[in-house]
Amino acid sequence: MRAFLTMTKSNLKLLLRNIGFIICLIALPFGASALLMIQQSDSAYNDSSRFLNINKINEVDCVIQPTNTNVMVIDAAQDEASEIFLKSIIHGELSIYRYKAKPLERSEIDRIAKNYYERGTVTAVVYLGKDFNKNIMNGINPEVLLIEGRDDSRIELVKNKINSSLSIMMNCAANASSKKEFLTMSEKVFENMPTAQSVTVGEDANELTGKQSEQQTNIGHALAVLSMAFLLTGALVANLIVSERENKSILRIEMSGTSMGTYVLSKAFTGILVALIQTEVTAVATALLIGTDVGIPFVAFILFIGMMGVIFNLLCVVNGMYCKNITVVSFVAFGVWMFTNLLAGVYFNFVTFPDWWDKASMLTPQKWVMLCTEMLMKNQNGAYATFFTAAAGFLLLIITAGFIGTKVSDTTGRE
């Protein structure tokens, strides 16, 4: 035990002499916390910018916003009632792109919808008939077509919202004596409703609100910076192993009666301790800069990033057991940072990826943090169990590789 504590203390002293380590220990966690402060007031999550009138049918490709649900609306009614209706169905992460058009034949509508579905530009295509307002005032269901071109649960969410808004407007029309009263009544009803509603289909299909979407995006950006901090500090711990192997310190440690297992445990404990310090710095920085409102319980946020830090730091320690020089350790750490962040999609959280990409992203800790964060935001059960099961899997693989690496270091240390 004395040898273990002595080596751990020595490791920390060597690390604290490195200015790069201090930056990764303190500055980067503060930078990650600062990213949580970003408010996307002019983004797709602001209702005023999520209802856009476009002048050309293909213009939606140029102004598309990075949200989960983009709806292209061909509006042949072109009146106040259709605008009130369309603004009322904005919810969660849905954006409306309205094209005022002359009445179209069904074949032309289907052609336009097919074109968009094939390009993957929008989630749904809706057509409003020219007599939209007139039919509602007369108590007749208006012509509202939702053209489904693919199997997507989000289309069902749009359909539910359309039916809900139509029902409200029909009730307003039935109780109004004039068109003006009908429009005023409809606007007031929708204004008094929650601006960002969660619509549920089945058990777990509720959407995030605009604020939650913004918070999840910020968490993703913070994870990108924190993963860099964790991997760089882990690489510095791994560099101690490489340098001590090169100058035969490992051999001298063994000659003093200390086992290789104790040596490796001291390095692993150093990595874990560094990760916990970085997590604590992140917690303090976040509390100071924005408070504890990060979209999920603050304790859960800290637990998630703390476990991610432990995983990445231990991964780097194991990497140091296999690499023969410091350059390779650094390149591996940078490669892991770049590859895992791209694969997990932390930079572009609301982009829809192919199925194979989604499955491959499960090999990254960041993806599990993002997934479980979303589960907590949606009040779904099992977020903690899911995350810590995945974390246990990562740690099991790392410990197994570390056990093998111990044997490798034992052999090379004697050479």
Side-chain angles (χ1 to χ4, degrees):
M1 178 59 73
R2 180 178 297 178
F4 171 81
L5 294 176
T6 300
M7 287 188 291
T8 301
K9 188 183 298 183
S10 176
N11 293 334
L12 292 174
K13 286 181 179 179
L14 290 172
L15 290 171
L16 289 171
R17 293 174 184 173
N18 191 321
I19 186 63
F21 176 78
I22 302 299
I23 292 174
C24 295
L25 190 70
I26 299 175
L28 288 182
F30 261 90
S33 298
L35 291 175
L36 297 173
M37 299 171 60
I38 297 175
Q39 294 184 356
Q40 303 171 359
S41 58
D42 59 345
S43 71
Y45 309 123
N46 184 286
D47 282 350
S48 62
S49 66
R50 291 196 288 136
F51 181 83
L52 301 177
N53 287 301
I54 58 177
N55 299 318
K56 297 179 181 179
I57 195 66
N58 291 323
E59 190 178 345
V60 66
D61 291 330
C62 303
V63 298
I64 199 75
Q65 297 281 2
T67 60
N68 265 354
T69 310
N70 296 294
V71 178
M72 172 67 190
V73 177
I74 303 171
D75 184 6
Q78 304 184 38
D79 59 15
E80 292 181 69
S82 66
E83 184 166 331
I84 291 173
F85 166 72
L86 293 176
K87 288 183 177 180
S88 74
I89 67 175
I90 294 177
H91 67 285
E93 298 148 10
L94 185 147
S95 294
I96 297 290
Y97 298 88
R98 178 198 195 191
Y99 174 64
K100 296 180 179 179
K102 296 179 180 179
L104 300 175
E105 298 293 333
R106 179 58 189 264
S107 59
E108 179 65 10
I109 299 170
D110 289 339
R111 184 192 67 78
I112 294 172
K114 181 181 178 182
N115 187 33
Y116 279 116
Y117 284 137
E118 286 179 349
R119 294 204 302 269
T121 307
V122 298
T123 302
V125 176
V126 176
Y127 175 79
L128 302 184
K130 65 175 182 177
D131 296 324
F132 180 84
N133 179 70
K134 180 181 177 181
N135 288 341
I136 289 181
M137 291 296 297
N138 293 330
I140 303 172
N141 287 326
E143 182 183 12
V144 180
L145 301 177
L146 192 154
I147 298 89
E148 301 183 45
R150 57 187 176 186
D151 184 17
D152 193 326
S153 62
R154 294 174 296 175
I155 294 179
E156 193 66 27
L157 297 173
V158 176
K159 185 186 298 184
N160 287 351
K161 190 61 180 175
I162 286 175
N163 290 336
S164 173
S165 294
L166 280 178
S167 176
I168 290 172
M169 293 187 74
M170 294 284 285
N171 288 333
C172 289
N175 293 301
S177 57
S178 65
K179 177 181 178 181
K180 183 177 180 180
E181 185 181 355
F182 155 64
L183 295 175
T184 302
M185 189 182 301
S186 297
E187 283 186 321
K188 287 184 177 180
V189 170
F190 290 126
E191 285 176 1
N192 292 328
M193 294 177 65
T195 56
Q197 303 175 55
S198 295
V199 182
T200 303
V201 177
E203 295 181 358
D204 299 320
N206 55 304
E207 285 189 316
L208 300 178
T209 65
K211 181 180 179 181
Q212 287 176 324
S213 299
E214 180 179 298
Q215 289 173 321
Q216 189 184 37
T217 299
N218 291 344
I219 288 175
H221 295 161
L223 290 180
V225 177
L226 286 171
S227 60
M228 174 189 288
F230 292 137
L231 284 163
L232 289 178
T233 53
L236 291 173
V237 176
N239 286 342
L240 295 179
I241 299 176
V242 175
S243 60
E244 288 169 355
R245 184 190 303 127
E246 289 178 347
N247 60 29
K248 302 299 181 180
S249 292
I250 294 179
L251 182 58
R252 290 194 292 271
I253 289 172
E254 285 191 307
M255 291 175 65
S256 69
T258 302
S259 67
M260 178 55 64
T262 301
Y263 172 81
V264 173
L265 282 177
S266 73
K267 291 295 187 286
F269 182 75
T270 301
I272 293 173
L273 188 59
V274 169
L276 294 179
I277 293 173
Q278 288 173 300
T279 303
E280 183 62 27
V281 172
T282 304
V284 172
T286 303
L288 290 175
L289 294 175
I290 65 169
T292 58
D293 182 14
V294 294
I296 61 174
F298 190 67
V299 173
F301 174 69
I302 298 303
L303 283 174
F304 288 170
I305 63 174
M307 186 57 68
M308 186 181 77
V310 169
I311 291 171
F312 278 135
N313 271 273
L314 288 181
L315 179 64
C316 287
V317 171
V318 171
N319 178 40
M321 298 178 186
Y322 291 92
C323 296
K324 294 184 178 181
N325 60 71
I326 294 174
T327 302
V328 175
V329 170
S330 302
F331 275 115
V332 170
F334 178 78
V336 170
W337 172 73
M338 181 178 66
F339 178 75
T340 56
N341 281 321
L342 287 174
L343 194 59
V346 296
Y347 302 116
F348 24 78
N349 186 46
F350 295 109
V351 175
T352 302
F353 295 101
D355 288 341
W356 66 267
W357 187 297
D358 281 334
K359 292 177 181 177
S361 68
M362 295 300 178
L363 298 173
T364 66
Q366 297 98 311
K367 181 65 176 180
W368 288 101
V369 173
M370 297 298 292
L371 178 64
C372 295
T373 294
E374 185 174 343
M375 291 175 66
L376 288 175
M377 287 181 173
K378 292 180 177 180
N379 295 318
Q380 296 176 354
N381 297 324
Y384 296 104
T386 299
F387 179 77
F388 286 108
T389 299
F394 283 118
L395 291 175
L396 181 61
L397 290 174
I398 292 171
I399 291 171
T400 301
F403 178 77
I404 299 173
T406 301
K407 301 301 181 183
V408 173
S409 295
D410 194 10
T411 301
T412 55
R414 296 174 184 276
E415 294 178 352

